[in-house]
Amino acid sequence: SAVISQKPSRDICQRGTSLTIQCQVDSQVTMMFWYRQQPGQSLTLIATANQGSEATYESGFVIDKFPISRPNLTFSTLTVSNMSPEDSSIYLCSVGLAGNNEQFFGPGTRLTVL
Amino acid sequence: GDSVTQMEGPVTLSEEAFLTINCTYTATGYPSLFWYVQYPGEGLQLLLKATKADDKGSNKGFEATYRKETTSFHLEKGSVQVSDSAVYFCALRRGSGNTGKLIFGQGTTLQVKP
């Protein structure tokens, strides 16, 4: 399995500001994923982040709004830029391990935008 | 495109009752199927999985069988406990290994009363 930590665990931000969420894994992983869970809704994939290459964004998500860094095999950041109340969600980091058919999720970052 | 549909909640049961949460999917090929659980205030955890038709995933008394003919992966438990109260997500992933994105259903809230 993988142990995943995220910082911050929660934050309350003002409209128009940006927040960077960190994801740290206790082992080296090739692929990391960022998901969003809007209030009362399911999880939606934002992007897939591979080390050493540009992140791949899903339809409806763009790099200018959700820039992602992946500097090494154990760490990634997701920035939520120019926030609006519609960005209020739980943001989750997820990883897949080589040779394992599972994905593991971090505890999530609960973001509230006022 | 690929999609997952779960029965709407909330589902409210008495302790020791039988649980079924329906899940059907739409996908080409042979996706892997998963049930994830999110306990109150906690992150998403893998509950069980099945990777091919007729496979049965099981864990903590929960079971689900991959039914290709009905494109279903219903979650069952013979006798629920108060501690099973949580949100349950059905998900699919196409492709082998852990490189594909997970597509989630909308989640079903289960509340078990003593």
Side-chain angles (χ1 to χ4, degrees), chain B residues 5-37:
Chain B
T5 303
Q6 290 179 233
M7 65 185 288
E8 292 206 14
V11 174
T12 302
L13 296 173
S14 298
E15 207 163 23
E16 299 183 3
F18 184 85
L19 168 72
T20 299
I21 300 178
N22 289 339
C23 170
T24 57
Y25 68 90
T26 300
T28 56
Y30 296 87
S32 296
L33 301 174
F34 305 85
W35 276 100
Y36 281 85
V37 59

Side-chain angles (χ1 to χ4, degrees), chain B residues 28-110:
Chain B
T28 56
Y30 296 87
S32 296
L33 301 174
F34 305 85
W35 276 100
Y36 281 85
V37 59
Q38 189 173 39
Y39 297 104
E42 298 186 17
L44 209 61
Q45 302 173 27
L46 179 65
L47 181 60
L48 54 83
K49 65 180 180 182
T51 57
K52 61 183 186 296
D54 299 325
D55 266 2
K56 177 185 284 188
S58 62
N59 186 25
K60 299 181 181 179
F62 291 89
E63 292 183 342
T65 301
Y66 189 144
R67 300 289 189 197
K68 179 71 174 173
E69 64 277 11
T70 56
T71 62
S72 65
F73 193 54
H74 305 320
L75 183 68
E76 297 181 335
K77 186 174 185 181
S79 176
V80 294
Q81 306 300 312
V82 172
S83 57
D84 293 326
S85 298
V87 182
Y88 293 82
F89 292 94
C90 186
L92 71 81
R93 186 175 68 227
R94 281 206 284 139
S96 60
N98 55 40
T99 57
K101 68 179 183 181
L102 285 167
I103 296 173
F104 287 87
Q106 65 268 42
T108 302
T109 299
L110 170 65

